[in-house]
Amino acid sequence: MRALRILLIFAVVLGGLFVIADRLAVNFAEDEAADRLKTTENLATTPDVSIKGFPFLTQVVGGSLDDIEVGIDSYEAAAGDGARKIRIDDLRADMKGVEFSGDYSSATAATATGTATVAYDELLKTAKSEPTQVAPGVTANVVGLSDGGNGKIKVAVEATVLGTRLPEPVSVLSTVTVVDGTVRVKADGLPKFAGVDLAENRVRTITDFQQRIDGLPGGIELDKVQAAPDGVEITVKGSNVRLAG
């Protein structure tokens, strides 16, 4: 009995040491992965990297990791025209089936899903901010975007009629969608300015706009989009997503 007790104690000690070694190894790996991702994606700040699953060391021996979560507070994505960037906030991605090279210099996830936000003030840069003529004597431009409720965006349009600016912007509810990597905002109806009837195609040059978003980390792409209190929430997905290298 005494020998069995000693054996059990020894096993518990070894198990504890293994857990400690495993957690130290995973913390080191998370820090290294975060630094590599920061360099690869040219990020201003170090992202959060969390390696899931236990034990970590046996996953390493097998050459792949089951699940890695990545968080990037702010990311500058290409706006599609190559001339400017669009800020993506709070990007969170869940990477599944991550395989890495023998020297750990590169890692690729089989699949990835995630969420992010494009703030309304950032999306507003896409809309026409300069007054544009929509009818004889009538100019208009978008001056604000906000949550319209029920998944809609409220687009505030300021207008000047016969040289007089209307006292309050006119609002219109709009639907937001994503098609082939482009976020599109389209008014559900047309605003009226001081009772003036306007041609739909002219008004929509103001109320409707779109923004292409390219170059998300690792090659992930836009999947879905919906309006939310703080901005447009997007979901992303991808396959063979490059984490590093």
Side-chain angles (χ1 to χ4, degrees):
M1 289 296 294
R2 184 171 182 273
L4 179 59
R5 188 180 299 112
I6 292 174
L7 182 61
L8 289 174
I9 293 173
F10 184 67
V12 170
V13 171
L14 283 181
L17 291 175
F18 176 78
V19 170
I20 293 172
D22 191 81
R23 293 302 88 190
L24 289 175
V26 76
N27 289 338
F28 176 78
E30 288 171 345
D31 291 342
E32 285 294 306
D35 288 340
R36 287 182 181 273
L37 185 58
K38 178 182 179 182
T39 300
T40 300
E41 298 296 339
N42 195 28
L43 302 176
T45 59
T46 303
D48 296 324
V49 175
S50 179
I51 299 175
K52 303 299 181 180
F54 178 84
F56 166 71
L57 292 174
T58 58
Q59 294 184 69
V60 172
V61 172
S64 67
L65 302 175
D66 296 334
D67 189 358
I68 297 180
E69 293 182 358
V70 176
I72 301 175
D73 291 336
S74 182
Y75 182 81
E76 297 291 323
D81 55 9
R84 66 182 185 85
K85 301 286 187 177
I86 183 167
R87 190 184 76 251
I88 308 295
D89 295 324
D90 198 26
L91 176 60
R92 296 290 179 267
D94 188 10
M95 313 288 188
K96 301 288 188 181
V98 179
E99 296 187 354
F100 46 86
S101 61
D103 61 358
Y104 308 108
S105 62
S106 64
T108 303
T111 61
T113 57
T115 60
T117 300
V118 179
Y120 285 122
D121 62 346
E122 193 70 13
L123 189 60
L124 182 62
K125 298 175 183 178
T126 303
K128 287 188 176 180
S129 58
E130 296 297 325
T132 301
Q133 182 171 302
V134 294
V138 180
T139 60
N141 60 292
V142 175
V143 294
L145 301 176
S146 59
D147 181 22
N150 297 318
K152 301 290 185 179
I153 293 179
K154 183 165 70 174
V155 180
V157 182
E158 189 174 74
T160 298
V161 179
L162 299 177
T164 300
R165 179 180 296 174
L166 299 185
E168 296 291 338
V170 176
S171 296
V172 58
L173 292 179
S174 299
T175 298
V176 57
T177 58
V178 59
V179 179
D180 296 331
T182 298
V183 176
R184 296 179 176 176
V185 178
K186 183 177 181 179
D188 294 348
L190 300 180
K192 285 186 175 294
F193 306 114
V196 178
D197 290 326
L198 305 173
E200 179 174 353
N201 61 334
R202 297 298 298 274
V203 177
R204 288 197 177 277
T205 62
I206 303 299
T207 60
D208 300 358
F209 54 92
Q210 61 184 31
Q211 175 62 69
R212 183 163 183 82
I213 300 177
D214 290 320
L216 291 173
I220 56 177
E221 299 177 345
L222 300 187
D223 183 29
K224 299 176 183 178
V225 63
Q226 67 176 5
D230 297 327
V232 174
E233 290 186 351
I234 60 177
T235 59
V236 297
K237 66 178 182 179
S239 57
N240 297 321
V241 176
R242 177 177 50 82
L243 282 170

